[in-house]
Coordinates of all heavy atoms in Angstrom, one line a residue:
Chain A
T62 N 118.2 75.9 74.8 CA 117.7 77.2 74.5 C 116.9 77.8 75.6 O 116.9 79.1 75.8 CB 116.8 77.1 73.2 OG1 117.6 76.5 72.2 CG2 116.3 78.4 72.7
T63 N 116.3 77.0 76.4 CA 115.6 77.5 77.6 C 116.6 78.2 78.5 O 116.3 79.3 79.1 CB 114.9 76.3 78.3 OG1 114.1 75.6 77.4 CG2 113.9 76.9 79.4
I64 N 117.7 77.5 78.8 CA 118.7 78.1 79.6 C 119.3 79.4 79.0 O 119.5 80.4 79.6 CB 119.9 77.1 79.9 CG1 119.3 75.9 80.7 CG2 121.1 77.7 80.6 CD1 120.3 74.8 80.9
F65 N 119.6 79.3 77.7 CA 120.1 80.4 77.0 C 119.2 81.6 77.1 O 119.6 82.7 77.4 CB 120.2 80.0 75.5 CG 120.6 81.1 74.6 CD1 122.0 81.5 74.5 CD2 119.7 81.8 73.8 CE1 122.4 82.5 73.6 CE2 120.1 82.8 73.0 CZ 121.4 83.2 72.9
N66 N 117.9 81.4 77.0 CA 116.9 82.5 77.1 C 116.9 83.1 78.5 O 116.8 84.3 78.7 CB 115.5 82.0 76.7 CG 115.4 81.8 75.2 OD1 116.2 82.4 74.4 ND2 114.5 81.0 74.8
S67 N 117.0 82.2 79.5 CA 116.8 82.7 80.8 C 118.1 83.5 81.2 O 118.1 84.3 82.1 CB 116.5 81.7 81.8 OG 117.5 80.8 82.0
L68 N 119.2 83.2 80.6 CA 120.5 83.9 80.9 C 120.5 85.2 80.1 O 120.9 86.3 80.7 CB 121.7 83.1 80.5 CG 122.1 81.9 81.4 CD1 123.3 81.2 80.9 CD2 122.3 82.4 82.8
T69 N 120.2 85.2 78.8 CA 120.4 86.4 78.0 C 119.2 87.3 77.9 O 119.4 88.4 77.5 CB 120.9 85.9 76.6 OG1 119.8 85.2 76.0 CG2 122.1 85.1 76.6
G70 N 118.1 86.8 78.2 CA 116.9 87.6 78.1 C 116.7 88.1 76.7 O 116.7 87.4 75.7
S71 N 116.6 89.4 76.5 CA 116.4 90.0 75.2 C 117.7 90.3 74.5 O 117.7 90.7 73.3 CB 115.6 91.3 75.3 OG 116.2 92.2 76.2
R72 N 118.8 90.2 75.2 CA 120.1 90.5 74.6 C 120.6 89.4 73.8 O 121.6 88.7 74.1 CB 121.1 90.9 75.7 CG 120.9 92.3 76.3 CD 122.0 92.6 77.3 NE 122.1 91.6 78.3 CZ 121.3 91.5 79.4 NH1 120.4 92.3 79.6 NH2 121.5 90.5 80.3
Q73 N 120.0 89.1 72.7 CA 120.4 88.0 71.8 C 120.1 88.3 70.4 O 119.2 89.1 70.1 CB 119.7 86.7 72.3 CG 118.2 86.8 72.4 CD 117.6 85.4 72.6 OE1 117.3 84.7 71.6 NE2 117.2 85.1 73.8
H74 N 120.8 87.7 69.5 CA 120.4 87.7 68.1 C 120.7 86.4 67.5 O 121.5 85.6 67.9 CB 121.2 88.9 67.4 CG 122.7 88.7 67.4 ND1 123.3 88.0 66.3 CD2 123.7 89.0 68.2 CE1 124.6 88.0 66.5 NE2 124.8 88.5 67.7
T75 N 119.9 86.2 66.4 CA 120.1 84.9 65.7 C 120.6 85.1 64.3 O 120.4 86.1 63.7 CB 118.7 84.2 65.6 OG1 117.8 85.2 65.1 CG2 118.2 83.7 66.9
G76 N 121.3 84.1 63.8 CA 121.9 84.1 62.5 C 122.1 82.7 62.1 O 121.5 81.8 62.6
N77 N 122.9 82.5 61.1 CA 123.2 81.1 60.7 C 124.7 80.8 61.0 O 125.5 81.7 61.0 CB 122.9 80.9 59.2 CG 121.5 80.5 59.0 OD1 120.7 80.4 59.9 ND2 121.2 80.3 57.7
W78 N 125.0 79.5 61.2 CA 126.4 79.2 61.3 C 127.0 79.3 59.9 O 126.4 79.1 58.9 CB 126.5 77.7 61.8 CG 126.1 77.6 63.2 CD1 124.9 77.3 63.7 CD2 126.9 77.8 64.3 NE1 124.9 77.3 65.1 CE2 126.1 77.6 65.5 CE3 128.2 78.2 64.5 CZ2 126.6 77.8 66.8 CZ3 128.7 78.4 65.8 CH2 127.9 78.2 66.9
P79 N 128.4 79.7 59.9 CA 129.0 79.9 58.6 C 128.8 78.7 57.7 O 129.1 77.6 58.0 CB 130.5 80.1 59.0 CG 130.5 80.2 60.4 CD 129.2 79.8 61.0
G80 N 128.3 79.0 56.5 CA 128.2 78.0 55.5 C 127.1 77.0 55.7 O 127.0 76.0 55.0
K81 N 126.3 77.1 56.8 CA 125.3 76.1 57.1 C 123.9 76.8 57.2 O 123.8 78.0 57.4 CB 125.7 75.5 58.5 CG 127.0 74.9 58.6 CD 127.0 73.5 58.1 CE 128.4 72.9 57.9 NZ 129.4 73.2 58.8
T82 N 122.9 76.0 57.1 CA 121.6 76.5 57.3 C 121.1 76.3 58.8 O 120.0 76.4 59.1 CB 120.6 75.9 56.4 OG1 120.7 74.5 56.4 CG2 120.8 76.4 54.9
V83 N 122.1 75.9 59.6 CA 121.7 75.7 61.0 C 121.7 77.0 61.7 O 122.6 77.8 61.6 CB 122.7 74.7 61.7 CG1 122.3 74.5 63.1 CG2 122.8 73.4 60.9
E84 N 120.6 77.2 62.5 CA 120.5 78.5 63.2 C 121.5 78.7 64.3 O 121.8 77.8 65.0 CB 119.0 78.6 63.8 CG 118.7 80.0 64.3 CD 117.4 80.0 65.1 OE1 117.3 79.3 66.1 OE2 116.5 80.7 64.7
K85 N 122.0 79.9 64.4 CA 123.0 80.2 65.4 C 122.4 81.3 66.3 O 122.0 82.3 65.8 CB 124.3 80.7 64.8 CG 125.3 81.1 65.8 CD 126.5 81.7 65.2 CE 127.5 82.1 66.3 NZ 128.6 82.8 65.8
K86 N 122.4 81.0 67.6 CA 121.9 82.0 68.6 C 123.0 82.5 69.4 O 123.8 81.7 69.9 CB 120.8 81.4 69.5 CG 119.5 81.3 68.8 CD 118.5 80.9 69.8 CE 117.1 81.4 69.4 NZ 116.1 81.2 70.3
E87 N 123.1 83.8 69.6 CA 124.2 84.3 70.4 C 123.6 85.4 71.3 O 122.7 86.1 70.8 CB 125.3 84.9 69.5 CG 126.6 85.1 70.3 CD 127.7 85.6 69.5 OE1 127.8 85.3 68.3 OE2 128.5 86.4 70.0
G88 N 124.1 85.5 72.5 CA 123.5 86.5 73.4 C 124.6 86.9 74.5 O 125.6 86.3 74.5
V89 N 124.3 87.9 75.2 CA 125.2 88.4 76.2 C 124.6 88.3 77.6 O 123.4 88.7 77.8 CB 125.7 89.8 75.9 CG1 126.5 90.4 77.0 CG2 126.4 89.8 74.5
W90 N 125.4 87.9 78.5 CA 125.0 87.9 79.9 C 126.0 88.7 80.7 O 127.2 88.5 80.5 CB 124.8 86.5 80.5 CG 124.5 86.5 82.0 CD1 123.3 87.0 82.6 CD2 125.3 86.0 83.0 NE1 123.4 86.8 83.9 CE2 124.6 86.1 84.2 CE3 126.5 85.3 83.1 CZ2 125.1 85.8 85.5 CZ3 127.0 84.9 84.3 CH2 126.3 85.1 85.5
K91 N 125.6 89.6 81.6 CA 126.6 90.5 82.3 C 126.5 90.2 83.8 O 125.4 90.0 84.3 CB 126.4 91.9 82.0 CG 126.9 92.4 80.6 CD 126.8 93.9 80.5 CE 127.3 94.3 79.2 NZ 126.6 95.4 78.6
Q92 N 127.7 90.2 84.4 CA 127.7 90.0 85.8 C 128.8 90.9 86.3 O 130.0 90.6 86.1 CB 128.0 88.5 86.1 CG 128.5 88.3 87.5 CD 127.3 88.0 88.5 OE1 126.3 88.5 88.3 NE2 127.5 87.1 89.4
G93 N 128.5 92.0 87.0 CA 129.5 93.0 87.4 C 130.3 93.5 86.2 O 129.6 93.9 85.2
D94 N 131.6 93.4 86.2 CA 132.4 93.8 85.1 C 132.5 92.8 84.0 O 133.1 93.0 82.9 CB 133.8 94.3 85.5 CG 133.7 95.6 86.3 OD1 132.6 96.3 86.2 OD2 134.6 95.8 87.1
D95 N 132.1 91.6 84.4 CA 132.3 90.5 83.4 C 131.2 90.4 82.4 O 130.0 90.6 82.7 CB 132.3 89.1 84.2 CG 133.5 89.0 85.1 OD1 134.5 89.7 84.8 OD2 133.4 88.3 86.1

Side-chain angles (χ1 to χ4, degrees):
Chain A
T62 304
T63 310
I64 294 175
F65 175 81
N66 287 339
S67 70
L68 286 179
T69 61
S71 58
R72 286 181 305 277
Q73 51 169 278
H74 64 90
T75 48
N77 273 2
W78 289 94
K81 306 269 167 40
T82 50
V83 181
E84 189 189 63
K85 178 185 177 189
K86 279 190 156 189
E87 195 179 326
V89 174
W90 175 64
K91 283 190 180 143
Q92 161 91 326
D94 290 339
D95 295 334

